[in-house]
Structures are given as structure tokens and as C-alpha cells.
Coordinates of all heavy atoms in Angstrom, one line a residue:
M278 N 3.7 16.8 8.2 CA 3.4 15.4 8.0 C 4.6 14.6 8.1 O 5.6 14.9 7.5 CB 2.7 15.3 6.7 CG 2.3 13.8 6.3 SD 1.4 13.6 4.9 CE 2.6 13.7 3.6
S279 N 4.5 13.5 8.7 CA 5.7 12.5 8.9 C 5.8 11.7 7.6 O 4.8 11.4 6.9 CB 5.4 11.6 10.0 OG 6.4 10.6 10.1
I280 N 7.0 11.4 7.3 CA 7.2 10.5 6.1 C 7.2 9.0 6.5 O 7.3 8.2 5.6 CB 8.6 10.8 5.4 CG1 9.8 10.5 6.4 CG2 8.7 12.2 4.9 CD1 11.1 10.4 5.7
L281 N 6.9 8.7 7.8 CA 6.7 7.4 8.2 C 5.3 7.0 8.4 O 4.5 7.8 8.8 CB 7.5 7.2 9.6 CG 9.0 7.4 9.6 CD1 9.5 7.3 11.0 CD2 9.7 6.4 8.7
I282 N 4.9 5.8 8.1 CA 3.6 5.3 8.4 C 3.7 3.9 8.9 O 4.6 3.1 8.6 CB 2.7 5.2 7.1 CG1 1.3 4.9 7.4 CG2 3.3 4.3 6.0 CD1 0.3 5.2 6.3
R283 N 2.8 3.5 9.8 CA 2.9 2.2 10.5 C 2.1 1.2 9.7 O 0.9 1.4 9.4 CB 2.3 2.3 11.9 CG 2.5 1.0 12.6 CD 2.1 1.1 14.1 NE 2.2 -0.1 14.7 CZ 2.0 -0.3 16.0 NH1 1.6 0.7 16.7 NH2 2.1 -1.5 16.5
V284 N 2.7 0.1 9.2 CA 2.1 -0.9 8.5 C 2.7 -2.2 9.0 O 3.9 -2.4 9.1 CB 2.4 -0.8 6.9 CG1 1.8 -2.0 6.2 CG2 1.9 0.5 6.4
D285 N 1.8 -3.2 9.3 CA 2.3 -4.5 9.8 C 3.3 -4.4 10.9 O 4.3 -5.1 11.0 CB 2.9 -5.2 8.6 CG 3.1 -6.7 8.8 OD1 2.4 -7.3 9.6 OD2 4.0 -7.3 8.1
D286 N 3.0 -3.6 11.9 CA 3.8 -3.3 13.1 C 5.2 -2.8 12.8 O 6.1 -3.1 13.5 CB 3.9 -4.6 13.9 CG 2.5 -5.0 14.6 OD1 1.7 -4.0 14.8 OD2 2.3 -6.1 14.8
R287 N 5.3 -2.1 11.7 CA 6.6 -1.5 11.3 C 6.4 -0.1 10.9 O 5.3 0.2 10.3 CB 7.2 -2.3 10.1 CG 7.6 -3.7 10.4 CD 8.0 -4.4 9.2 NE 8.5 -5.7 9.4 CZ 7.7 -6.8 9.5 NH1 6.4 -6.6 9.3 NH2 8.1 -8.0 9.7
F288 N 7.3 0.8 11.1 CA 7.3 2.1 10.6 C 8.0 2.2 9.3 O 9.2 1.9 9.3 CB 7.9 3.1 11.6 CG 7.0 3.3 12.8 CD1 7.3 2.7 14.0 CD2 5.9 4.1 12.8 CE1 6.5 2.8 15.1 CE2 5.1 4.3 13.9 CZ 5.4 3.7 15.1
V289 N 7.3 2.4 8.2 CA 7.8 2.4 6.9 C 7.9 3.8 6.3 O 6.9 4.5 6.3 CB 6.9 1.5 6.0 CG1 7.4 1.5 4.6 CG2 6.7 0.1 6.5
P290 N 9.1 4.2 5.8 CA 9.2 5.5 5.1 C 8.4 5.5 3.8 O 8.5 4.5 3.1 CB 10.7 5.7 4.8 CG 11.4 4.6 5.6 CD 10.4 3.5 5.9
L291 N 7.6 6.5 3.6 CA 6.8 6.5 2.4 C 7.6 6.4 1.1 O 7.1 5.8 0.1 CB 6.0 7.8 2.3 CG 4.9 8.0 3.4 CD1 4.3 9.4 3.3 CD2 3.8 6.9 3.2
Y292 N 8.8 6.9 1.1 CA 9.6 6.8 -0.1 C 10.1 5.4 -0.5 O 10.6 5.2 -1.6 CB 10.8 7.8 -0.1 CG 11.8 7.5 1.1 CD1 12.8 6.6 1.0 CD2 11.7 8.3 2.2 CE1 13.6 6.3 2.0 CE2 12.6 8.0 3.3 CZ 13.5 7.1 3.2 OH 14.4 6.8 4.2
R293 N 9.9 4.5 0.4 CA 10.3 3.1 0.1 C 9.2 2.3 -0.5 O 9.5 1.2 -1.0 CB 10.8 2.4 1.4 CG 12.1 2.9 2.0 CD 12.8 1.9 2.8 NE 13.0 0.6 2.1 CZ 13.0 -0.6 2.7 NH1 12.8 -0.7 3.9 NH2 13.2 -1.6 2.0
V294 N 8.0 2.8 -0.5 CA 6.9 2.0 -1.1 C 6.9 2.1 -2.6 O 7.0 3.1 -3.2 CB 5.5 2.6 -0.6 CG1 4.4 1.9 -1.2 CG2 5.4 2.5 0.9
M295 N 6.9 0.9 -3.2 CA 6.9 0.8 -4.7 C 5.5 0.6 -5.2 O 5.2 1.2 -6.2 CB 7.8 -0.5 -5.1 CG 9.2 -0.4 -4.6 SD 10.1 1.0 -5.1 CE 10.3 0.8 -6.8
W296 N 4.7 -0.2 -4.6 CA 3.3 -0.3 -5.0 C 2.5 -1.0 -3.8 O 3.0 -1.5 -2.9 CB 3.1 -1.1 -6.2 CG 3.7 -2.5 -6.3 CD1 4.9 -2.8 -6.9 CD2 3.2 -3.8 -5.8 NE1 5.1 -4.2 -6.8 CE2 4.1 -4.8 -6.1 CE3 2.0 -4.1 -5.1 CZ2 3.9 -6.1 -5.8 CZ3 1.8 -5.4 -4.8 CH2 2.8 -6.4 -5.1
V297 N 1.2 -0.8 -3.9 CA 0.2 -1.3 -2.9 C -0.8 -2.1 -3.6 O -1.4 -1.7 -4.6 CB -0.5 -0.1 -2.1 CG1 -1.4 -0.7 -1.1 CG2 0.6 0.8 -1.5
A298 N -1.1 -3.3 -3.2 CA -2.1 -4.2 -3.8 C -3.5 -3.6 -3.7 O -3.9 -3.1 -2.7 CB -2.0 -5.6 -3.2
A299 N -4.2 -3.8 -4.8 CA -5.6 -3.3 -4.8 C -6.6 -4.4 -4.3 O -7.7 -4.1 -3.9 CB -6.0 -2.9 -6.3
T300 N -6.1 -5.6 -4.4 CA -7.0 -6.7 -3.9 C -6.3 -7.5 -2.8 O -5.0 -7.6 -2.8 CB -7.3 -7.7 -5.0 OG1 -6.1 -8.2 -5.6 CG2 -8.1 -7.0 -6.1
P301 N -7.0 -8.1 -1.9 CA -6.4 -8.9 -0.8 C -5.7 -10.1 -1.3 O -6.1 -10.7 -2.3 CB -7.5 -9.2 0.2 CG -8.8 -9.0 -0.6 CD -8.5 -8.1 -1.7
H302 N -4.7 -10.6 -0.6 CA -4.0 -11.8 -0.9 C -4.9 -13.0 -0.7 O -5.6 -13.1 0.3 CB -2.7 -11.9 0.0 CG -2.0 -13.2 -0.2 ND1 -1.2 -13.4 -1.2 CD2 -1.9 -14.3 0.6 CE1 -0.6 -14.6 -1.1 NE2 -1.1 -15.2 0.0
F303 N -4.8 -13.9 -1.7 CA -5.5 -15.2 -1.6 C -4.7 -16.2 -2.3 O -4.5 -16.1 -3.5 CB -6.9 -15.2 -2.1 CG -7.6 -16.5 -2.1 CD1 -8.0 -17.1 -0.9 CD2 -7.7 -17.3 -3.3 CE1 -8.6 -18.3 -0.9 CE2 -8.2 -18.5 -3.3 CZ -8.7 -19.0 -2.1
C304 N -4.1 -17.2 -1.6 CA -3.3 -18.2 -2.3 C -3.9 -19.6 -2.2 O -3.6 -20.5 -2.9 CB -1.9 -18.3 -1.8 SG -1.7 -18.7 -0.1
G305 N -4.9 -19.8 -1.2 CA -5.5 -21.1 -1.1 C -4.8 -22.1 -0.2 O -5.3 -23.1 0.1
E306 N -3.6 -21.7 0.2 CA -2.8 -22.6 1.1 C -3.5 -22.7 2.5 O -3.8 -21.6 3.0 CB -1.4 -22.2 1.2 CG -0.6 -22.2 -0.1 CD -0.4 -23.6 -0.6 OE1 -0.2 -24.5 0.2 OE2 -0.5 -23.8 -1.9
E307 N -3.6 -23.8 3.1 CA -4.2 -24.0 4.4 C -3.4 -23.3 5.5 O -4.0 -22.8 6.4 CB -4.3 -25.5 4.8 CG -5.4 -26.2 3.9 CD -5.5 -27.6 4.4 OE1 -5.2 -27.9 5.5 OE2 -6.0 -28.4 3.5
D308 N -2.1 -23.2 5.4 CA -1.3 -22.6 6.4 C -0.9 -21.1 6.2 O -0.1 -20.6 6.9 CB 0.0 -23.4 6.7 CG 0.8 -23.6 5.4 OD1 0.4 -23.2 4.3 OD2 2.0 -24.0 5.6
C309 N -1.5 -20.5 5.2 CA -1.2 -19.1 4.8 C -1.7 -18.2 6.0 O -2.9 -18.3 6.4 CB -1.9 -18.7 3.5 SG -1.5 -17.0 3.1
T310 N -0.8 -17.3 6.4 CA -1.2 -16.4 7.5 C -1.5 -15.0 6.9 O -1.8 -14.1 7.7 CB -0.1 -16.3 8.5 OG1 1.1 -15.8 7.9 CG2 0.2 -17.6 9.2
R311 N -1.4 -14.8 5.6 CA -1.6 -13.5 5.0 C -2.8 -13.3 4.2 O -3.1 -12.3 3.6 CB -0.4 -13.2 4.1 CG 0.9 -13.0 4.9 CD 0.8 -11.9 5.9 NE 1.9 -11.8 6.8 CZ 2.0 -11.1 7.8 NH1 1.0 -10.4 8.2 NH2 3.1 -11.0 8.5
E312 N -3.7 -14.4 4.1 CA -4.9 -14.2 3.4 C -5.8 -13.1 3.9 O -5.9 -13.0 5.1 CB -5.7 -15.5 3.4 CG -5.4 -16.4 2.2 CD -6.3 -17.6 2.2 OE1 -7.4 -17.7 2.7 OE2 -5.8 -18.6 1.6
G313 N -6.3 -12.3 3.0 CA -7.1 -11.2 3.4 C -6.4 -9.9 3.7 O -6.9 -8.8 3.9
Y314 N -5.0 -10.0 3.7 CA -4.2 -8.8 3.8 C -3.7 -8.3 2.5 O -3.7 -9.0 1.5 CB -3.0 -9.1 4.7 CG -3.3 -9.2 6.2 CD1 -3.7 -10.5 6.7 CD2 -3.3 -8.2 7.0 CE1 -4.0 -10.6 8.0 CE2 -3.6 -8.3 8.4 CZ -4.0 -9.5 8.9 OH -4.3 -9.7 10.2
Y315 N -3.3 -7.0 2.4 CA -2.9 -6.4 1.2 C -1.4 -6.2 1.2 O -0.8 -5.7 2.2 CB -3.5 -5.0 1.0 CG -5.0 -5.0 1.0 CD1 -5.8 -5.1 2.1 CD2 -5.6 -5.0 -0.3 CE1 -7.2 -5.2 2.0 CE2 -7.0 -5.1 -0.4 CZ -7.8 -5.2 0.8 OH -9.2 -5.3 0.7
E316 N -0.7 -6.7 0.1 CA 0.7 -6.6 0.1 C 1.1 -5.2 -0.3 O 0.6 -4.5 -1.1 CB 1.2 -7.6 -1.0 CG 2.7 -7.6 -1.1 CD 3.3 -8.6 -2.1 OE1 2.5 -9.2 -2.8 OE2 4.5 -8.7 -2.1
V317 N 2.1 -4.7 0.5 CA 2.8 -3.5 0.2 C 4.2 -3.8 -0.1 O 5.0 -4.2 0.7 CB 2.7 -2.5 1.5 CG1 3.4 -1.2 1.2 CG2 1.3 -2.3 1.9
R318 N 4.6 -3.6 -1.4 CA 5.9 -3.9 -1.9 C 6.8 -2.7 -1.6 O 6.5 -1.6 -2.0 CB 5.9 -4.3 -3.4 CG 7.2 -4.7 -3.9 CD 7.8 -5.9 -3.2 NE 7.0 -7.1 -3.4 CZ 7.3 -8.1 -4.2 NH1 8.3 -8.1 -4.9 NH2 6.5 -9.2 -4.2
L319 N 8.0 -3.0 -1.0 CA 9.0 -2.0 -0.7 C 10.2 -2.2 -1.7 O 10.2 -3.2 -2.4 CB 9.4 -2.1 0.7 CG 8.3 -2.1 1.8 CD1 8.9 -2.3 3.2 CD2 7.6 -0.8 1.7
E320 N 11.1 -1.3 -1.6 CA 12.3 -1.4 -2.4 C 13.0 -2.8 -2.0 O 12.8 -3.3 -0.9 CB 13.3 -0.3 -2.0 CG 12.8 1.1 -2.3 CD 13.7 2.1 -1.7 OE1 14.2 1.9 -0.6 OE2 14.0 3.1 -2.4
Q321 N 13.9 -3.2 -2.9 CA 14.7 -4.4 -2.7 C 13.9 -5.7 -2.5 O 14.4 -6.6 -1.8 CB 15.7 -4.1 -1.6 CG 16.6 -2.9 -1.8 CD 17.4 -2.5 -0.7 OE1 17.3 -3.1 0.4 NE2 18.3 -1.6 -0.9
G322 N 12.7 -5.7 -3.0 CA 11.9 -7.0 -3.0 C 11.3 -7.3 -1.6 O 10.8 -8.4 -1.5
E323 N 11.3 -6.4 -0.7 CA 10.7 -6.6 0.6 C 9.2 -6.3 0.5 O 8.8 -5.5 -0.3 CB 11.3 -5.7 1.7 CG 12.8 -5.9 1.9 CD 13.3 -4.9 2.9 OE1 13.0 -5.1 4.1 OE2 13.9 -4.0 2.5
S324 N 8.4 -7.0 1.4 CA 7.0 -6.7 1.5 C 6.6 -6.6 2.9 O 7.2 -7.3 3.8 CB 6.2 -7.9 0.8 OG 6.4 -7.9 -0.6
V325 N 5.6 -5.8 3.1 CA 4.9 -5.8 4.4 C 3.4 -6.0 4.1 O 3.0 -5.9 2.9 CB 5.1 -4.5 5.2 CG1 6.5 -4.4 5.7 CG2 4.7 -3.3 4.4
W326 N 2.6 -6.4 5.0 CA 1.2 -6.7 4.8 C 0.3 -5.8 5.6 O 0.4 -5.7 6.8 CB 1.0 -8.2 5.2 CG 1.8 -9.1 4.3 CD1 3.1 -9.5 4.5 CD2 1.4 -9.6 3.1 NE1 3.5 -10.3 3.5 CE2 2.5 -10.4 2.6 CE3 0.3 -9.6 2.3 CZ2 2.5 -11.1 1.4 CZ3 0.2 -10.3 1.1 CH2 1.3 -11.0 0.7
A327 N -0.6 -5.2 4.9 CA -1.5 -4.2 5.5 C -3.0 -4.7 5.6 O -3.4 -5.4 4.7 CB -1.5 -2.9 4.7
N328 N -3.7 -4.4 6.7 CA -5.1 -4.6 6.7 C -5.8 -3.5 5.9 O -5.1 -2.6 5.4 CB -5.6 -4.7 8.1 CG -5.5 -3.5 8.9 OD1 -5.5 -2.4 8.4 ND2 -5.2 -3.6 10.2
L329 N -7.1 -3.6 5.7 CA -7.8 -2.6 4.9 C -7.6 -1.2 5.3 O -7.3 -0.3 4.5 CB -9.3 -3.0 4.8 CG -10.1 -2.1 3.9 CD1 -9.7 -2.1 2.5 CD2 -11.6 -2.5 4.0
T330 N -7.7 -1.0 6.6 CA -7.5 0.4 7.2 C -6.1 0.9 6.9 O -6.0 2.1 6.5 CB -7.8 0.4 8.7 OG1 -9.1 -0.2 8.9 CG2 -7.7 1.8 9.3
E331 N -5.1 0.1 7.1 CA -3.7 0.5 6.9 C -3.5 0.8 5.4 O -2.8 1.8 5.1 CB -2.7 -0.6 7.4 CG -2.7 -0.7 8.9 CD -1.9 -2.0 9.3 OE1 -1.8 -2.9 8.5 OE2 -1.4 -1.9 10.4
R332 N -4.1 -0.1 4.5 CA -3.9 0.2 3.1 C -4.5 1.5 2.7 O -3.9 2.3 1.9 CB -4.6 -1.0 2.3 CG -4.3 -0.9 0.8 CD -5.3 -1.5 0.0 NE -6.6 -0.8 0.1 CZ -7.6 -1.1 -0.6 NH1 -7.6 -2.1 -1.5 NH2 -8.8 -0.5 -0.4
D333 N -5.7 1.8 3.1 CA -6.4 3.0 2.7 C -5.6 4.2 3.3 O -5.4 5.2 2.6 CB -7.8 3.0 3.2 CG -8.7 2.0 2.5 OD1 -8.3 1.5 1.4 OD2 -9.8 1.8 3.0
E334 N -5.2 4.1 4.5 CA -4.4 5.2 5.1 C -3.1 5.4 4.3 O -2.7 6.6 4.0 CB -4.1 5.0 6.6 CG -3.2 6.0 7.2 CD -3.8 7.4 7.3 OE1 -5.0 7.6 7.2 OE2 -3.0 8.4 7.4
L335 N -2.4 4.4 3.9 CA -1.2 4.4 3.2 C -1.4 5.1 1.8 O -0.7 6.0 1.4 CB -0.6 3.1 3.0 CG 0.7 3.0 2.1 CD1 1.8 3.8 2.7 CD2 1.2 1.5 2.0
N336 N -2.5 4.7 1.1 CA -2.8 5.3 -0.2 C -3.1 6.8 0.0 O -2.6 7.6 -0.8 CB -4.0 4.7 -0.8 CG -3.6 3.3 -1.5 OD1 -2.5 3.1 -1.8 ND2 -4.6 2.5 -1.6
N337 N -3.8 7.2 1.0 CA -4.1 8.6 1.3 C -2.8 9.4 1.6 O -2.6 10.5 1.1 CB -5.1 8.8 2.4 CG -6.5 8.3 2.1 OD1 -6.9 8.3 0.9 ND2 -7.3 8.0 3.1
R338 N -2.0 8.8 2.4 CA -0.7 9.5 2.7 C 0.2 9.6 1.5 O 0.8 10.7 1.4 CB 0.0 8.8 3.9 CG -0.7 8.8 5.2 CD -0.4 10.0 6.0 NE 1.0 10.1 6.3 CZ 1.6 9.5 7.3 NH1 1.0 8.7 8.1 NH2 2.9 9.8 7.5
L339 N 0.3 8.6 0.7 CA 1.1 8.7 -0.5 C 0.6 9.8 -1.5 O 1.4 10.5 -2.0 CB 1.1 7.3 -1.2 CG 2.0 6.3 -0.6 CD1 1.7 4.9 -1.3 CD2 3.5 6.6 -0.7
E340 N -0.7 9.9 -1.6 CA -1.3 10.9 -2.5 C -1.0 12.3 -2.0 O -0.7 13.2 -2.7 CB -2.8 10.7 -2.6 CG -3.2 9.5 -3.5 CD -4.7 9.2 -3.5 OE1 -5.5 10.1 -3.0 OE2 -5.1 8.1 -4.0
T341 N -1.2 12.5 -0.7 CA -0.9 13.8 -0.1 C 0.6 14.1 -0.2 O 1.0 15.2 -0.5 CB -1.3 13.8 1.4 OG1 -2.7 13.5 1.5 CG2 -1.0 15.1 2.1
W342 N 1.4 13.1 0.1 CA 2.9 13.3 0.0 C 3.4 13.7 -1.4 O 4.2 14.5 -1.6 CB 3.6 12.1 0.5 CG 5.1 12.1 0.6 CD1 5.9 13.0 1.2 CD2 6.0 11.3 -0.2 NE1 7.2 12.7 1.0 CE2 7.3 11.7 0.1 CE3 5.8 10.2 -1.0 CZ2 8.4 11.0 -0.4 CZ3 6.9 9.6 -1.5 CH2 8.2 10.0 -1.2
Q343 N 2.7 13.1 -2.4 CA 3.1 13.4 -3.8 C 2.4 14.5 -4.4 O 2.5 14.8 -5.6 CB 3.0 12.1 -4.6 CG 4.0 11.1 -4.3 CD 5.4 11.5 -4.6 OE1 5.7 12.1 -5.6 NE2 6.3 11.3 -3.6
G344 N 1.5 15.2 -3.7 CA 0.8 16.3 -4.2 C -0.5 16.1 -4.9 O -1.0 16.9 -5.6
G345 N -1.1 14.9 -4.6 CA -2.5 14.6 -5.2 C -2.4 13.8 -6.5 O -1.3 13.5 -7.0
L346 N -3.5 13.5 -7.0 CA -3.6 12.7 -8.2 C -3.5 13.4 -9.5 O -3.3 12.8 -10.5 CB -5.0 12.0 -8.2 CG -5.2 11.0 -7.1 CD1 -6.6 10.4 -7.2 CD2 -4.2 9.8 -7.3
G347 N -3.5 14.7 -9.5 CA -3.4 15.5 -10.7 C -4.7 15.7 -11.4 O -5.8 15.5 -10.9
P348 N -4.7 16.2 -12.7 CA -5.9 16.6 -13.4 C -6.7 15.3 -13.8 O -6.1 14.3 -13.9 CB -5.4 17.3 -14.6 CG -4.0 16.9 -14.8 CD -3.5 16.5 -13.4
P349 N -8.0 15.4 -13.9 CA -8.8 14.3 -14.3 C -8.5 13.8 -15.7 O -8.0 14.6 -16.5 CB -10.3 14.8 -14.1 CG -10.2 16.3 -14.2 CD -8.8 16.6 -13.7
D350 N -8.8 12.6 -16.0 CA -8.7 12.0 -17.3 C -9.7 12.7 -18.2 O -10.8 12.9 -17.9 CB -9.0 10.5 -17.3 CG -8.8 9.8 -18.6 OD1 -8.0 10.3 -19.4 OD2 -9.5 8.8 -18.8
E351 N -9.2 13.2 -19.4 CA -10.0 13.9 -20.3 C -11.2 13.1 -20.9 O -12.3 13.7 -21.1 CB -9.2 14.5 -21.4 CG -8.3 15.6 -21.0 CD -7.5 16.2 -22.1 OE1 -7.9 16.1 -23.3 OE2 -6.4 16.8 -21.8
E352 N -11.0 11.9 -21.2 CA -12.1 11.1 -21.8 C -13.3 10.8 -20.9 O -14.4 11.1 -21.2 CB -11.6 9.7 -22.3 CG -10.7 9.8 -23.6 CD -10.3 8.5 -24.1 OE1 -10.9 7.5 -23.6 OE2 -9.4 8.4 -24.9
S353 N -13.0 10.3 -19.7 CA -14.1 10.0 -18.8 C -14.4 11.1 -17.8 O -15.5 11.0 -17.2 CB -13.7 8.7 -18.0 OG -12.6 9.0 -17.2
G354 N -13.6 12.1 -17.7 CA -13.8 13.1 -16.7 C -13.5 12.7 -15.3 O -13.8 13.4 -14.3
E355 N -12.9 11.5 -15.1 CA -12.5 11.0 -13.8 C -11.0 10.8 -13.7 O -10.3 10.7 -14.7 CB -13.2 9.6 -13.6 CG -14.7 9.7 -13.6 CD -15.3 8.4 -13.3 OE1 -14.6 7.4 -13.1 OE2 -16.6 8.3 -13.4
N356 N -10.5 10.7 -12.5 CA -9.1 10.3 -12.2 C -8.9 8.9 -12.7 O -9.8 8.1 -12.7 CB -8.8 10.5 -10.8 CG -8.7 12.0 -10.4 OD1 -8.2 12.8 -11.2 ND2 -9.1 12.3 -9.2
L357 N -7.7 8.6 -13.0 CA -7.3 7.3 -13.5 C -7.3 6.3 -12.3 O -7.3 5.1 -12.5 CB -5.9 7.3 -14.1 CG -5.8 8.1 -15.4 CD1 -4.4 8.1 -15.9 CD2 -6.7 7.5 -16.5
W358 N -7.3 6.7 -11.1 CA -7.3 5.8 -9.9 C -8.7 5.5 -9.6 O -9.2 5.1 -8.9 CB -6.5 6.5 -8.8 CG -5.1 6.7 -9.1 CD1 -4.6 7.9 -9.6 CD2 -4.0 5.8 -9.1 NE1 -3.3 7.8 -9.8 CE2 -2.9 6.5 -9.5 CE3 -3.9 4.5 -8.7 CZ2 -1.6 5.9 -9.6 CZ3 -2.6 3.9 -8.8 CH2 -1.5 4.6 -9.2

């Protein structure tokens, strides 16, 4: 498996990803070009913007790369994610 994934027309190393937004961007500005996209925050304050398919693929690749989600939460019987 490659450590690179394509997001926002860039090849991003998985180890640079700090977090991935769970909800799409909405700021209400008329000239915003990122509404409906998901922010992917990288090291050093950089961001790239993923569509829904890219976001889901990134989450799947990160989980696989890190070895899965781990054991289920004991109280609810479900994973925390």
C-alpha cells in the first residue's frame, strides 16, 4: 500500500494528515469556492480540500495504515468512530 493519497489534485503523504473534517465546509460567503468540501488539515497549518469520495477514501486508508480502529467501546459495544 502506498503512503500517498490524492486529495485536491495533490499527492499527500498519509503521515502529514493531522485531521479530517466530519462535516462539509460552509461559511456563507458568496465568493467561497470551498463550500461543500471537507477540510483535510496537514502539518504546519496547511489544508487541502476533499470531496466526499476523497474524504471517505482518506479515512479508510488512514485506518488501514494505522492498523484499524482497535477494540470496541465497552459501554456501547461500538467503535468510538
Side-chain angles (χ1 to χ4, degrees):
M278 175 174 82
S279 174
I280 62 166
L281 299 174
I282 187 164
R283 188 174 174 178
V284 178
D285 194 24
D286 293 333
R287 294 171 178 88
F288 288 100
V289 177
L291 292 174
Y292 60 82
R293 289 205 58 213
V294 176
M295 303 305 290
W296 54 263
V297 179
T300 57
H302 174 75
F303 175 76
C304 66
E306 298 291 324
E307 289 183 26
D308 59 346
C309 180
T310 61
R311 295 301 177 189
E312 265 184 27
Y314 286 88
Y315 298 83
E316 184 177 5
V317 177
R318 183 58 64 105
L319 306 176
E320 296 171 322
Q321 302 173 352
E323 296 178 77
S324 292
V325 291
W326 298 87
N328 61 33
L329 181 61
T330 304
E331 292 170 333
R332 186 206 64 174
D333 290 346
E334 176 63 22
L335 177 56
N336 283 335
N337 289 335
R338 294 275 300 277
L339 284 169
E340 289 174 11
T341 302
W342 180 60
Q343 289 299 316
L346 292 176
D350 182 28
E351 290 183 21
E352 285 184 18
S353 66
E355 297 179 6
N356 287 322
L357 297 174
W358 299 95

